[in-house]
């Protein structure tokens, strides 16, 4: 075994740092003028820090001799230059290079002692007022505690970013809580999944067959099913997958019996899993549903969400219609327009409007060009004529904006309409505080998952009518469940499907090809008298996609009068040469590559002013939601913050929150649901084969308003169109609506 060498020096420059795993490359200055390049996984590193390293000398084939650090301990520097570098590195929020210079010039080598013990003196430095002083003091205390957590976690495989999040969640109890049960991290810290928590647990000495590990493993398997859209998993399948995930198949009974933390009654893995399930059931974390001699398991909150949806739909249907509508009068008014400017409806649209008045719960579906927006506009005219109160809503901000543009009436996201209450982390509008309305009209209903559907229906008064509008041929919701399709299949909502394409839409190749794809036919590049709004670029080599994108963005869009800010690249996957991660990197280099633009780096990605970014999770504190897209309008390097504009609302992101954002020059087709773009560019290649389905590319083409460009292999497009067997999600909403199925 090689003998470790020891080095001590001052960090001069950080060449590279990966926030996710702590891997760093940096230069330290030894005594005198000698410098050494160091690499290794370091809990935190800042210029100016004094570090003591233990490791081995290695020879890099390109960069020469380097020091491979296995351990690193750091001390606060004591030299004037080191202190300026250290404080100016961004380590402490509120102190950047400018204030670091002023502080060290004012207090010299005593500056750290002043910050620690006499922080009120910082207010004598020009520019440091009460607010900044408060920020600096809080940040100094936080970084000390975070450093303790980082040191504890550095050999447990946890990055500095997650250490910061852990401290924000647990505070000074962080180490104690993690030591007691590291599996709580998977539930409490967004971004730390079961596998990372399990790695920490095993590094802390938890046995592979400990009950806490098996219980967490069961919940992880259920959560995987939920991530795939299912609400339930068959019981025996759950047990098998738990054994696979936890790699327990090779462990025999004697190994279990020898464990110190083993319960005497648990003499096999099967019994341990049974015990875990029993504990989860007793604590009401899971529910068991039996149907046709099969048993299914889900998390309690998902069961109650689906069950509550069914209960509310059935109760709405039981209520008599409060308003005395003259259906014949309504029919006459929508059948024959009185004025030239009046909207003319076909028979399907007329039936849809009548259904909305005759039924408490209605569903209107249809593809592009079939007149859903025209139907909504006419419905609103009729509601105005009857002096009825209504609200328009959609699952996403972009979908709500489209609704407003199509109708001229105010539309809100469902989240904002329901008003989130930060005091108890629930929506303000619910069973006890229903929305004040007669009609609720919800667009893009295929995007609604069971949680959002449940929250929405809770807030609907029993006397109201609710109208769901959507396109059932699109991809299902990103979240779990299949709300719209299950509702239609149950027969408990009046359902009208608009199929006739309006004449003015028939000259759009986008509309024509969307319907061709939906019918299993290959898209056409042109037709006589049609608008050239669909282009197919045949390309067999995925490596050439960036070349095509550069040509499209720098020349092609201009010909159609489209700004690059109104275009987006939609792809099936995140990884690969034609995945969102690679294409975002390429498009940033094409569209936002000035060296003078202010930027901040996180996990190997540069975020620059002007970049579009997308939110990855619902963040109720910031009032931004999964799939929201905004633009970076400012970056504060001193406070390590960036500001994102979401439709005119500026939202601040601390450095530790940046894992909630990704660049959004390119997004997945799933994430594009509910949005509409002037131009949608869609690369399709066989490397996407696992996701190539008809509803995928149908969803992609229907996101384009003025121009859609397909790039890729004809074989890949044909594979997707042919594959109409989308995954059937395991849900029970239809059964809850039509039978007395109950959990136990």
């Amino acid at each position: 075994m090689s003998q470790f060498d020891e080095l001590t020096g001052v960090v001069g420059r950080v060449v590279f740092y990966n926030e996710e795993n702590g891997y760093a490359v940096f230069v330290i200055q030894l005594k005198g003028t000698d410098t050494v390049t160091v690499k290794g996984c370091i809990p935190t590193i800042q210029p100016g820090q004094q570090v003591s390293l233990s490791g081995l000398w290695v020879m890099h084939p390109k960069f020469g001799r380097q020091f491979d650090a296995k351990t690193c301990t750091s001390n606060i520097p004591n030299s004037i230059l080191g202190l300026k570098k250290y404080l100016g590195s961004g380590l402490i929020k509120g102190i950047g290079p400018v204030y670091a210079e002023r502080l060290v010039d004012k207090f010299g080598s005593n500056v750290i002692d002043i910050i620690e013990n006499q922080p009120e003196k910082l207010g004598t430095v020009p520019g440091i007022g009460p607010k900044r002083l408060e920020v600096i003091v809080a940040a100094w205390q936080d970084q000390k505690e975070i450093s303790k957590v980082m040191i504890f976690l550095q050999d447990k495989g946890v990055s500095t970013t997650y250490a910061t999040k852990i401290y924000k969640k647990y505070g000074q109890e962080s180490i104690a809580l993690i030591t007691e049960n590291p599996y709580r991290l998977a539930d409490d810290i967004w971004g730390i999944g079961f596998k990372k928590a399990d790695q920490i647990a095993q590094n802390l000495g938890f046995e592979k067959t400990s009950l806490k590990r098996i219980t967490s493993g069961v919940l992880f398997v259920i959560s995987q099913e939920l991530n795939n859209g299912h609400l339930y998993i068959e019981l025996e399948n759950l047990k098998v997958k738990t054994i696979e995930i936890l790699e327990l198949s090779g462990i025999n009974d004697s190994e279990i019996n020898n464990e110190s933390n083993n319960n005497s009654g648990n003499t096999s893995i099967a019994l341990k899993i049974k015990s875990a399930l029993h504990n989860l059931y007793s604590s009401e974390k899971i529910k068991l549903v039996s149907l046709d001699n099969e048993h299914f398991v889900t998390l309690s909150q998902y069961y109650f969400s689906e069950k509550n949806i069914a209960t509310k739909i059935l109760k709405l249907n039981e209520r008599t219609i409060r308003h005395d509508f003259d259906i014949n009068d309504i029919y006459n008014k929508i059948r024959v327009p009185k004025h030239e400017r009046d909207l003319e409806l076909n028979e399907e649209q007329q039936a849809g409007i009548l259904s909305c008045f005759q039924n408490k719960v209605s569903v209107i579906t249809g593809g592009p060009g079939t007149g859903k927006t025209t139907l909504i506009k006419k419905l609103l005219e009729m509601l105005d004529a009857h002096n009825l109160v209504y609200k328009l809503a959609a699952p996403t901000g972009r979908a709500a904006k489209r609704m407003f543009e199509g109708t001229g009436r105010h539309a809100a996201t469902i989240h904002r309409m329901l008003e989130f209450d930060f005091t108890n982390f629930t929506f303000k509008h619910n069973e006890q505080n229903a929305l004040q309305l007669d009609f609720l009209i919800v667009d893009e209903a295929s995007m609604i998952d069971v949680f959002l559907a449940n929250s929405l229906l809770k807030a609907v008064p029993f006397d109201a009518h609710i109208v769901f509008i959507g396109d059932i041929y699109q991809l299902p919701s990103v979240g779990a469940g299949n709300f719209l399709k299950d509702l239609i299949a149950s027969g408990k909502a009046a359902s009208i499907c608009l199929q006739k394409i309006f004449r003015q839409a028939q000259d759009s190749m986008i509309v024509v090809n969307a319907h061709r794809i939906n019918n299993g036919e290959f898209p056409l590049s042109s037709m006589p008298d049609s608008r050239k709004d669909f282009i197919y670029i045949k390309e067999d080599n995925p490596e050439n996609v960036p070349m095509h994108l550069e040509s499209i963005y720098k020349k092609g869009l201009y010909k159609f009068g489209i700004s690059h800010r109104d275009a987006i690249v939609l792809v099936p996957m995140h990884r690969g040469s034609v995945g969102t991660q690679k294409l975002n990197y390429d498009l940033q280099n094409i569209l936002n590559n000035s060296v003078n633009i202010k930027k901040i780096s996180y996990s190997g990605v540069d975020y620059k002013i002007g970049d579009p970014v997308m939110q990855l999770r619902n963040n109720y504190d910031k009032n931004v939601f999964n799939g929201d897209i905004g633009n970076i309008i400012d970056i504060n390097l001193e406070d390590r913050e960036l500001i994102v504009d979401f439709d005119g609302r500026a939202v601040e992101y601390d450095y530790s929150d940046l894992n909630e954002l990704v660049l959004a020059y390119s997004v997945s087709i799933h994430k594009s649901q509910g949005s509409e773009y002037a131009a949608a560019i869609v690369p399709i290649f066989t490397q996407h084969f696992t996701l190539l389905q008809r509803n995928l590319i149908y969803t992609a083409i229907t996101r384009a308003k003025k121009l859609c460009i397909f790039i890729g292999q004809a074989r890949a497009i044909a594979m997707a169109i042919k594959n109409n067997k989308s995954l059937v999600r395991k849900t029970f909403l239809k059964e809850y609506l039509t039978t007395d199925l109950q959990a136990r």
Side-chain angles (χ1 to χ4, degrees):
M1 183 175 178
S2 301
Q3 180 67 40
F4 281 177
D5 289 318
E6 308 288 336
L7 283 182
T8 300
V10 176
V11 178
R13 180 168 58 96
V14 179
V15 179
F16 173 79
Y17 190 74
N18 186 327
E19 287 285 342
E20 292 198 2
N21 58 22
Y23 179 79
V25 179
F26 57 97
V27 177
I28 66 169
Q29 185 168 342
L30 306 176
K31 289 182 179 179
T33 58
D34 291 341
T35 59
V36 172
T37 299
V38 181
K39 67 175 184 177
C41 290
I42 309 297
T44 181
I45 198 76
Q46 301 292 343
Q49 271 182 306
Q50 290 181 336
V51 292
S52 296
L53 307 167
S54 176
L56 298 169
W57 291 101
V58 295
M59 184 61 68
H60 191 281
K62 183 176 180 181
F63 300 111
R65 193 167 181 254
Q66 295 180 340
F67 191 77
D68 187 0
K70 302 303 180 185
T71 65
C72 173
T73 56
S74 63
N75 301 303
I76 294 172
N78 51 29
S79 70
I80 297 299
L81 180 60
L83 284 166
K84 286 182 178 180
K85 281 188 176 182
Y86 179 72
L87 292 175
S89 64
L91 174 71
I92 303 166
K93 191 173 182 179
I95 301 178
V98 173
Y99 285 106
E101 189 88 20
R102 292 178 185 176
L103 284 166
V104 177
D105 287 346
K106 175 80 173 178
F107 301 113
S109 59
N110 294 322
V111 65
I112 300 299
D113 182 65
I114 296 294
I115 296 173
E116 175 75 36
N117 299 310
Q118 297 175 289
E120 67 279 359
K121 288 187 176 181
L122 302 182
T124 62
V125 175
I128 298 183
K131 187 175 180 180
R132 184 172 290 274
L133 176 60
E134 185 180 339
V135 169
I136 292 171
V137 171
W140 176 255
Q141 294 302 320
D142 282 350
Q143 69 87 23
K144 285 199 305 180
E145 295 298 327
I146 291 167
S147 293
K148 293 179 185 177
V149 178
M150 286 177 180
I151 291 168
F152 170 75
L153 293 174
Q154 73 173 321
D155 63 342
K156 312 294 189 298
V158 181
S159 72
T160 56
T161 299
Y162 288 129
T164 302
K165 288 182 175 291
I166 289 167
Y167 176 73
K168 281 184 177 180
K169 177 70 177 179
Y170 304 138
Q172 294 186 0
E173 295 183 317
S174 297
I175 294 174
L177 290 173
I178 295 168
T179 303
E180 187 270 328
N181 182 13
Y183 293 103
R184 70 171 68 240
L185 294 170
D187 297 323
D188 294 347
I189 310 298
W190 188 81
I192 295 184
F194 167 77
K195 291 185 178 180
K196 179 63 72 176
D198 191 37
Q199 176 190 342
I200 297 167
Q202 293 193 49
N203 286 335
L204 284 169
F206 278 70
E207 297 288 350
K208 292 189 74 172
T209 56
S210 74
L211 193 56
K212 284 180 180 176
R213 182 172 189 259
I214 290 175
T215 302
S216 186
V218 168
L219 292 174
F220 175 63
V221 172
I222 296 173
S223 70
Q224 281 192 313
E225 294 298 301
L226 296 170
N227 290 338
N228 290 329
H230 303 289
L231 290 180
Y232 298 85
I233 178 172
E234 196 272 327
L235 178 58
E236 293 304 316
N237 189 23
L238 169 60
K239 294 176 181 177
V240 170
K241 286 190 173 183
T242 300
I243 290 172
E244 289 176 356
I245 289 290
L246 299 180
E247 299 177 345
L248 298 176
S249 57
I251 296 177
N252 57 44
D253 292 353
S254 62
E255 290 178 84
I256 299 172
N257 291 331
N258 288 332
E259 289 181 16
S260 59
N261 66 341
N262 178 54
N263 295 326
S264 58
N266 293 344
T267 57
S268 71
I269 294 296
L271 285 176
K272 280 221 167 186
I273 293 176
K274 185 176 181 180
S275 178
L277 287 165
H278 176 76
N279 292 343
L280 289 168
Y281 180 80
S282 298
S283 60
E284 299 186 345
K285 290 185 177 179
I286 62 172
K287 287 289 183 182
L288 184 69
V289 176
S290 298
L291 182 67
D292 299 331
N293 297 318
E294 284 191 287
H295 307 295
F296 300 88
V297 179
T298 187
L299 299 182
S300 294
Q301 60 265 40
Y302 286 89
Y303 164 75
F304 285 116
S305 291
E306 217 178 24
K307 190 67 177 173
N308 290 344
I309 290 168
T311 301
K312 186 61 177 276
I313 294 288
L314 293 174
K315 286 185 177 180
L316 282 168
N317 284 337
E318 287 172 0
R319 293 291 187 103
T320 56
I321 295 174
R322 185 181 67 177
H323 304 283
D324 186 20
F325 298 125
D326 186 336
I327 297 300
N328 288 327
D329 180 58
I330 292 172
Y331 176 63
N332 288 331
K333 286 179 179 177
I334 62 176
R335 186 172 62 88
V336 182
K338 288 186 177 180
H339 307 286
E340 276 189 30
R341 67 177 182 275
D342 287 351
L343 297 168
E344 186 174 350
L345 307 180
N346 62 28
E347 290 183 2
E348 293 172 346
Q349 292 169 308
Q350 294 170 26
I353 289 180
L354 289 176
S355 172
C356 296
F357 284 98
Q358 291 175 308
N359 299 281
K360 298 296 292 300
V361 184
S362 301
V363 178
I364 310 293
T365 65
T370 56
K372 296 193 296 294
T373 301
T374 301
L375 184 153
I376 296 172
K377 288 170 71 174
K378 189 64 179 180
L379 173 61
L380 297 182
E381 284 183 15
M382 302 303 296
L383 295 178
D384 285 335
H386 285 82
N387 295 315
L388 295 172
V389 178
Y390 56 82
K391 288 184 182 292
L392 307 182
T396 68
R398 284 177 175 261
K401 185 178 180 181
R402 285 176 59 196
M403 211 174 182
F404 166 73
E405 291 169 349
T407 65
R409 317 296 175 91
H410 173 73
T413 65
I414 296 172
H415 288 92
R416 293 192 173 99
M417 180 183 69
L418 298 180
E419 297 181 54
F420 193 75
D421 186 350
F422 293 99
T423 58
N424 55 18
F425 274 76
T426 58
F427 289 111
K428 290 181 181 178
H429 291 288
N430 49 37
E431 304 98 322
Q432 287 76 40
N433 182 29
L435 296 163
Q436 299 300 306
L437 48 78
D438 300 304
F439 270 74
L440 176 60
I441 302 162
V442 184
D443 200 6
E444 295 288 355
S446 63
M447 294 180 63
I448 301 175
D449 61 28
V450 288
F451 271 149
L452 194 56
N454 182 36
S455 297
L456 178 68
L457 286 164
K458 279 182 182 179
V460 175
F462 284 107
D463 288 330
H465 295 239
I466 185 165
V467 182
F468 294 106
I469 298 171
D471 185 346
I472 57 172
Y473 299 112
Q474 288 184 28
L475 291 166
S477 59
V478 175
N482 212 348
F483 166 70
L484 188 64
K485 281 192 175 181
D486 287 347
L487 180 59
I488 293 171
S490 73
K492 298 300 180 180
S495 181
I496 300 293
C497 181
L498 307 179
Q499 295 179 311
K500 184 177 180 181
I501 305 175
F502 274 72
R503 186 175 65 252
Q504 59 266 37
Q506 291 176 4
D507 67 347
S508 166
M509 293 307 299
I510 292 174
V511 173
V512 169
N513 282 328
H515 288 275
R516 285 183 64 85
I517 289 168
N518 198 35
N519 292 326
E521 301 171 315
F522 201 89
L524 301 172
S525 292
S526 64
M527 283 174 42
D529 302 321
S530 66
R531 297 200 304 269
K532 193 170 178 59
D533 56 4
F534 177 85
I535 298 170
Y536 170 42
I537 300 172
K538 187 174 181 180
E539 176 57 70
D540 290 325
N541 185 357
E543 303 297 331
N544 289 336
V545 168
M547 174 191 70
H548 291 296
L549 292 178
E550 184 165 15
S551 176
I552 290 167
Y553 273 89
K554 291 192 172 180
K555 299 176 184 177
L557 294 177
Y558 175 77
K559 296 177 182 177
F560 290 85
I562 298 172
S563 163
H564 72 82
R565 294 190 178 277
D566 297 323
I568 198 156
V569 177
L570 305 177
V571 290
M573 301 173 71
H574 294 297
R575 300 188 183 278
S577 59
V578 198
T580 59
Q581 295 174 357
K582 171 66 164 54
L583 294 181
N584 271 313
Y585 174 81
D586 293 331
L587 287 164
Q588 187 187 55
N589 286 334
I590 293 169
L591 301 172
N592 197 15
N593 59 2
S594 171
V595 294
N596 297 319
I597 293 177
K598 196 184 292 184
K599 66 181 181 180
I600 191 168
S601 297
Y602 178 86
S603 291
V605 177
D606 289 337
Y607 292 90
K608 305 177 182 180
I609 292 177
D611 282 339
V613 289
M614 182 170 63
Q615 175 75 14
L616 293 179
R617 65 182 287 250
N618 290 342
N619 188 321
Y620 294 99
D621 290 329
K622 297 183 187 298
N623 203 24
V624 289
F625 303 99
N626 187 2
D628 284 356
I629 292 180
N631 286 281
I632 299 173
I633 56 174
D634 194 17
I635 294 174
N636 186 330
L637 296 175
E638 288 202 342
D639 292 342
R640 290 163 69 84
E641 290 178 342
L642 58 78
I643 299 175
V644 181
D645 174 58
F646 290 100
D647 292 326
R649 194 170 59 89
V651 179
E652 293 182 1
Y653 283 81
D654 186 77
Y655 190 74
S656 63
D657 295 329
L658 292 186
N659 65 335
E660 296 185 13
L661 294 176
V662 291
L663 293 176
Y665 295 98
S666 173
V667 304
S668 71
I669 296 171
H670 265 94
K671 288 284 190 179
S672 73
Q673 288 175 263
S675 299
E676 189 175 64
Y677 308 93
I681 302 117
V682 189
I684 299 287
F685 290 86
T686 53
Q687 66 175 243
H688 302 137
F689 74 95
T690 56
L691 294 175
L692 291 181
Q693 296 174 352
R694 184 182 300 176
N695 59 359
L696 183 91
I697 59 170
Y698 173 82
T699 300
I701 194 172
T702 55
R703 300 308 91 204
K705 187 175 182 179
K706 295 181 179 179
L707 175 66
C708 183
I709 301 175
F710 274 20
I711 307 171
Q713 300 157 320
R715 178 171 170 242
I717 297 171
M719 282 172 60
I721 294 170
K722 185 178 179 181
N723 182 13
N724 197 30
K725 296 179 181 179
S726 56
L727 179 70
V728 177
R729 296 184 169 188
K730 193 61 193 173
T731 63
F732 285 133
L733 179 57
K734 177 185 173 184
E735 284 74 16
Y736 295 145
L737 282 164
T738 56
T739 70
D740 61 352
L741 182 64
Q742 302 283 340
R744 60 182 178 87

